[in-house]
């Protein structure tokens, strides 16, 4: 399909698409002092613009920026294509409409998509696919149709039945707003529930709370990692203050959706950052935030300890469930360190006392002490 026809097809979805761009350019490490200033509004509510963010690159055209279209409440539809008796939808249209970020690798012919990390991966002409950190076999493979990567309708069901509200109607795939009303916009001005039901709190018995405070106050080397205070030890006995010290040395490292290993590209997404850090201390985490959230010991939001992993969902109009879409590391005093495209771009420290984080928090897990 020619570029002009491709752009026309995207604009035909104007009544249904919701998305904005994410700053996901290729970059390396830089100091926190080199970060761009962020408006107070963005700082208080990173996802409250009413849009989901996606990567700046079109799968096919490689255009430098996205097309921003107005949001209209209600259903959205995708036209079905038929090839060799199978029904397909265009891959890019699907992931854009859902509001996922995505990355297309033309050399490997693979598509990765998800919230703040790549929870799903497909390969053209292959039945092999990945959902979270699990491999699964599709009933039919993705394929090129008219020069456009397309996903079989059966694969949409295999991969996304637990995530989205959708149904086939005639020659279209219909996406419907969630009955749970998981809004794309988390209203910062709406009153929170009475009492302290959504409040975060520190565990008074946390042995590392003061150490974390001392680390926060100390000067950090610019662009250099701190040496481990002790060798990597057993799962439940690692040097948490050393881990937090190391985590802070990466402040300002850029976010990249579906980031490769840090040694290759010098970037992180949310789960590659947590995985990279804990691996330094002998703890092997799965690659995706969804899979990471399945391990460890559950912790109350009011009894957090330094080093706990915090999990959040990313609001989406068509979601059926509040699934894990983001992970960060708790560093004490209601702050977390995490790799995120928003409100800043990259590894950053954010207050979880903001209404956005209180509302989208799912759970915390402790995997070390």
């Amino acid at each position: 399909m020619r570029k002009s026809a491709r752009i026309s097809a995207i604009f035909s979805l104007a009544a249904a698409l919701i998305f904005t761009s994410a700053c996901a350019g290729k970059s390396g490490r830089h100091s926190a002092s080199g970060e761009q200033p962020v408006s107070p509004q963005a700082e208080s509510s990173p996802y409250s613009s009413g849009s989901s963010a996606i990567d700046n690159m079109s799968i096919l055209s490689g255009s430098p920026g996205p097309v921003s279209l107005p949001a209209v409440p209600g259903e959205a539809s995708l036209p079905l294509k038929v090839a060799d008796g199978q029904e397909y939808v265009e891959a890019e249209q699907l992931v854009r409409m859902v509001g996922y970020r995505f990355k297309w690798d033309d050399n490997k012919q693979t598509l990765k998509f998800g919230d703040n990390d790549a929870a799903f991966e497909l390969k053209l002409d292959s039945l092999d696919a990945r959902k979270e950190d699990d491999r699964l076999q599709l009933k039919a493979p993705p394929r090129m149709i008219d020069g456009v990567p397309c996903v079989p309708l059966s694969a949409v069901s295999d991969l996304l039945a637990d995530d989205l509200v959708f149904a086939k109607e005639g020659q279209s795939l219909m996406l419907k707003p969630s009955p749970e009303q998981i809004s794309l916009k988390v209203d910062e001005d709406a009153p929170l529930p009475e009492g302290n039901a959504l409040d975060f709190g520190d565990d008074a018995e946390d042995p590392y709370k003061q150490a974390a405070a001392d680390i926060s106050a100390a000067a950090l080397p610019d662009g250099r990692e701190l040496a481990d205070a002790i060798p990597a030890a057993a799962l439940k006995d690692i040097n948490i203050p050393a881990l937090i010290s190391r985590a802070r040395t990466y402040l300002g490292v850029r976010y990249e959706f579906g980031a490769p290993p840090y040694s290759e590209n010098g970037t992180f997404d949310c789960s590659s950052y947590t995985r990279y850090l804990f691996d330094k201390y002998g703890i092997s985490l799965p690659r995706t935030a969804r899979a990471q959230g399945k391990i460890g010991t559950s912790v109350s939001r009011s009894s957090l300890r330094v080093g706990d992993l915090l999990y959040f969902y990313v609001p989406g109009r068509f979601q059926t469930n509040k699934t894990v879409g983001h992970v960060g590391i708790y560093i004490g005093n209601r702050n977390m360190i995490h790799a995120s495209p928003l409100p800043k771009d990259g590894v950053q420290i954010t207050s979880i006392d903001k209404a956005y984080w209180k509302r989208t928090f799912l759970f915390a897990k402790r995997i070390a002490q």
Side-chain angles (χ1 to χ4, degrees):
M1 184 180 294
R2 295 183 179 178
K3 184 176 181 180
S4 60
R6 182 72 184 137
I7 294 175
S8 175
I10 294 176
F11 271 97
S12 69
L13 298 173
L17 300 182
I18 303 174
F19 56 90
T20 58
S21 67
C23 300
K26 181 178 179 180
S27 60
R29 182 186 305 177
H30 63 276
S31 67
S33 61
E35 295 177 18
Q36 295 297 315
V38 180
S39 69
Q41 180 179 5
E43 176 64 35
S44 66
S45 181
Y47 298 97
S48 66
S49 63
S51 302
S52 288
I54 60 171
D55 279 357
N56 286 348
M57 183 177 66
S58 168
I59 288 179
L60 297 177
S61 66
S63 58
V67 182
S68 296
L69 303 177
V72 177
E75 298 179 347
S77 65
L78 284 169
L80 293 176
K81 297 185 174 186
V82 179
D84 298 329
Q86 291 281 345
E87 295 176 310
Y88 295 81
V89 294
E90 290 190 15
E92 183 176 0
Q93 287 186 355
L94 175 64
V95 295
R96 282 184 181 273
M97 184 175 290
V98 174
Y100 284 141
R101 302 176 189 278
F102 64 85
K103 178 181 289 187
W104 169 256
D105 188 322
D106 196 49
N107 292 326
K108 296 180 179 179
Q109 297 285 282
T110 58
L111 172 68
K112 297 179 180 180
F113 58 97
D115 288 307
N116 281 357
D117 62 2
F120 306 94
E121 181 176 347
L122 300 171
K123 183 177 177 61
L124 289 190
D125 301 317
S126 174
L127 295 176
D128 294 327
R130 178 178 59 78
K131 179 177 181 179
E132 301 174 17
D133 280 36
D134 297 326
R135 294 289 173 178
L136 61 128
Q137 288 284 299
L138 303 177
K139 299 179 182 68
R143 59 181 294 181
M144 283 284 187
I145 300 177
D146 299 327
V148 179
C150 293
V151 179
L153 193 59
S154 59
V156 176
S157 179
D158 290 339
L159 293 167
L160 299 176
D162 296 332
D163 292 73
L164 307 178
V165 180
F166 61 86
K168 178 188 173 186
E169 295 186 8
Q171 295 303 305
S172 298
L173 176 66
M174 303 297 297
L175 297 180
K176 303 172 182 292
S178 168
E180 296 183 17
Q181 298 299 308
I182 304 176
S183 173
L184 281 169
K185 182 174 181 179
V186 176
D187 189 351
E188 291 285 338
D189 298 323
L192 292 169
E194 293 185 6
N196 58 359
L198 297 184
D199 287 351
F200 294 103
D202 293 326
D203 184 347
E205 303 299 322
D206 184 356
Y208 300 119
K209 183 177 180 180
Q210 184 57 49
D214 294 341
I215 291 168
S216 178
L220 292 173
D222 184 11
R224 300 191 304 275
E225 296 183 11
L226 297 180
D228 290 345
I230 60 171
L235 179 65
K236 293 189 177 182
D237 184 19
I238 72 170
N239 191 327
I240 294 293
L243 184 147
I244 300 303
S245 292
R246 182 186 290 271
R248 289 174 61 87
T249 66
Y250 296 96
L251 285 171
V253 170
R254 288 298 184 98
Y255 167 89
E256 180 186 355
F257 177 78
Y262 179 75
S263 59
E264 294 181 14
N265 215 34
T267 58
F268 291 116
D269 62 23
C270 67
S271 58
S272 73
Y273 179 58
T274 53
R275 187 186 196 207
Y276 178 83
L277 289 169
F278 279 91
D279 181 68
K280 296 293 185 181
Y281 296 89
I283 296 178
S284 180
L285 295 180
R287 174 58 182 87
T288 65
R290 291 192 187 197
Q292 289 178 12
K294 295 178 180 179
I295 65 175
T297 302
S298 296
V299 179
S300 166
R301 67 193 297 155
S302 61
S303 300
L304 299 174
R305 290 189 175 189
V306 175
D308 289 344
L309 292 176
L310 309 180
Y311 295 92
F312 305 86
Y313 73 91
V314 177
R317 180 157 54 113
F318 301 112
Q319 290 177 267
T320 58
N321 297 301
K322 296 177 180 178
T323 56
V324 170
H326 188 63
V327 60
I329 304 172
Y330 189 60
I331 61 173
N333 198 31
R334 273 92 59 210
N335 287 303
M336 70 172 169
I337 189 166
H338 59 136
S340 174
L342 297 168
K344 303 174 185 178
D345 176 23
V347 177
Q348 58 199 279
I349 293 174
T350 300
S351 169
I352 57 174
D353 273 340
K354 306 292 186 182
Y356 173 84
W357 299 107
K358 286 186 175 184
R359 292 182 184 278
T360 60
F361 176 78
L362 291 174
F363 54 84
K365 289 292 189 72
R366 187 167 298 155
I367 60 174
Q369 63 181 17

